[in-house]
């Protein structure tokens, strides 16, 4: 969609939903409307039922963890004159980013087949555990999407009829897509020949820090 069409769509959604739309952002040819978590089902129902919008298809629901957003683990704009793939300094360098109103976000990707329109609805969630209403009654396809976001991010969808883990193992502890979840995990599984079954044990993998390769552009090697 071109910019004028997106502006008209944003204006129509603001007219329809009023103060429940906190912000409308047009970027990269796409429209994102920001709503409060408590309003996702109400706004979603309005977007679905308005005849000139008819966002009847929910394509995806995805979670986001902004905890480390804007933190640069490795500063690669400088390099030393010695070493290979070690020309970086470990850093927790905060770059200039716009702060978010909550650590977590939930994004709904909506499609209107009738009018060939797309919109992204987003809600920020500050509390932990993050919670907001389920949209299953608006779009039944949200069932497994919400279960996935619960499994990976720990987002609670109130009113979901069967909010269970979907991708991780039975008895899994934690939510692996959260930024504070260790890359090596908390437990590992192995086959115990004496017990004749798979057993869980504390993780024994050594946590290694991998240093990214640095592409030099200072002419040091005569390029």
């Amino acid at each position: 969609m071109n910019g004028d069409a997106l502006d008209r769509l944003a204006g129509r959604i603001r007219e329809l939903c009023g103060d429940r739309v906190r912000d409308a952002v047009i970027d990269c040819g796409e429209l994102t409307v920001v709503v409060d978590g408590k309003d996702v089902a109400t706004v979603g129902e309005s977007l679905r039922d308005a005849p000139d919008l008819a966002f009847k298809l929910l394509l995806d629901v995805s979670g986001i963890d902004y905890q480390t957003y804007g933190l640069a683990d490795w500063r690669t704009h400088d390099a030393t004159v010695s070493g290979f793939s070690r020309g970086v300094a470990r850093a927790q360098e905060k770059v200039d980013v716009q702060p978010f109103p909550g650590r977590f976000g939930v994004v709904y990707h909506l499609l209107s087949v009738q009018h060939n329109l797309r919109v992204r609805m987003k809600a920020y969630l500050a509390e932990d555990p993050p919670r907001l209403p389920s949209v299953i009654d608006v779009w039944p396809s949200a069932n497994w999407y919400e279960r996935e976001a619960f499994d990976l991010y720990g987002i609670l969808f109130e009113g979901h009829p069967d909010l269970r883990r979907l991708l991780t193992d039975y008895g899994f502890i934690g939510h692996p897509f959260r930024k504070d979840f260790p890359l090596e995990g908390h437990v590992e599984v192995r086959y115990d020949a004496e017990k004749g079954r798979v057993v869980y044990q504390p993780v024994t993998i050594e946590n290694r820090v991998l240093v990214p390769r640095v592409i030099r552009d200072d002419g040091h090697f005569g390029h």
Side-chain angles (χ1 to χ4, degrees):
M1 297 178 65
N2 59 41
D4 291 339
L6 289 173
D7 284 335
R8 289 194 296 271
L9 178 59
R12 173 63 181 122
I13 292 175
R14 285 186 179 276
E15 176 187 6
L16 177 67
C17 301
D19 293 340
R20 290 192 295 271
V21 174
R22 295 296 185 180
D23 197 8
V25 180
I26 298 174
D27 189 27
C28 298
E30 298 177 339
L31 171 63
T32 301
V33 293
V34 180
V35 303
D36 288 338
K38 62 182 176 60
D39 293 327
V40 292
T42 304
V43 172
E45 188 173 9
S46 298
L47 297 178
R48 182 197 64 185
D49 294 343
D52 56 336
L53 296 178
F55 285 104
K56 297 183 181 296
L57 184 58
L58 174 67
L59 299 176
D60 192 19
V61 178
S62 57
I64 309 172
D65 184 357
Y66 291 105
Q67 186 184 56
T68 59
Y69 188 89
L71 284 176
D73 286 341
W74 297 99
R75 180 165 41 86
T76 59
H77 51 266
D78 293 325
T80 63
V81 297
S82 62
F84 180 75
S85 296
R86 291 294 184 271
V88 293
R90 180 76 179 189
Q92 285 291 324
E93 182 177 295
K94 189 71 174 178
V95 299
D96 185 19
V97 295
Q98 186 71 23
F100 297 100
R103 170 181 170 178
F104 297 97
V106 179
V107 180
Y108 304 80
H109 298 271
L110 309 178
L111 172 65
S112 171
V113 176
Q114 179 179 350
H115 301 293
N116 192 24
L117 299 173
R118 293 177 184 265
V119 70
R120 181 187 298 112
M121 180 173 67
K122 178 185 287 189
Y124 294 102
L125 309 170
E127 61 181 336
D128 191 5
R131 62 182 70 237
L132 74 173
S134 171
V135 296
I136 284 183
D137 290 340
V138 183
W139 300 286
S141 62
N143 192 327
W144 279 26
Y145 295 143
E146 291 182 348
R147 284 182 58 188
E148 180 183 43
F150 162 70
D151 191 358
L152 300 180
Y153 291 96
I155 298 169
L156 302 177
F157 294 89
E158 297 176 332
H160 190 289
D162 188 25
L163 195 61
R164 294 178 291 126
R165 289 187 181 273
L166 183 67
L167 300 176
T168 55
D169 197 5
Y170 297 106
F172 191 89
I173 298 174
H175 304 284
F177 275 19
R178 288 194 175 195
K179 297 301 183 180
D180 52 6
F181 189 86
L183 293 179
E184 68 273 15
H186 294 293
V187 297
E188 63 186 21
V189 297
R190 66 175 178 84
Y191 180 76
D192 190 308
E194 294 182 357
K195 296 181 178 179
R197 61 179 175 85
V198 171
V199 297
Y200 290 84
Q201 65 185 33
V203 66
T204 58
I205 301 173
E206 181 181 355
N207 186 16
R208 294 190 304 157
V209 178
L210 302 180
V211 182
R213 180 180 178 183
V214 175
I215 307 301
R216 302 183 64 97
D217 58 2
D218 57 3
H220 179 72
F221 296 107
H223 296 305

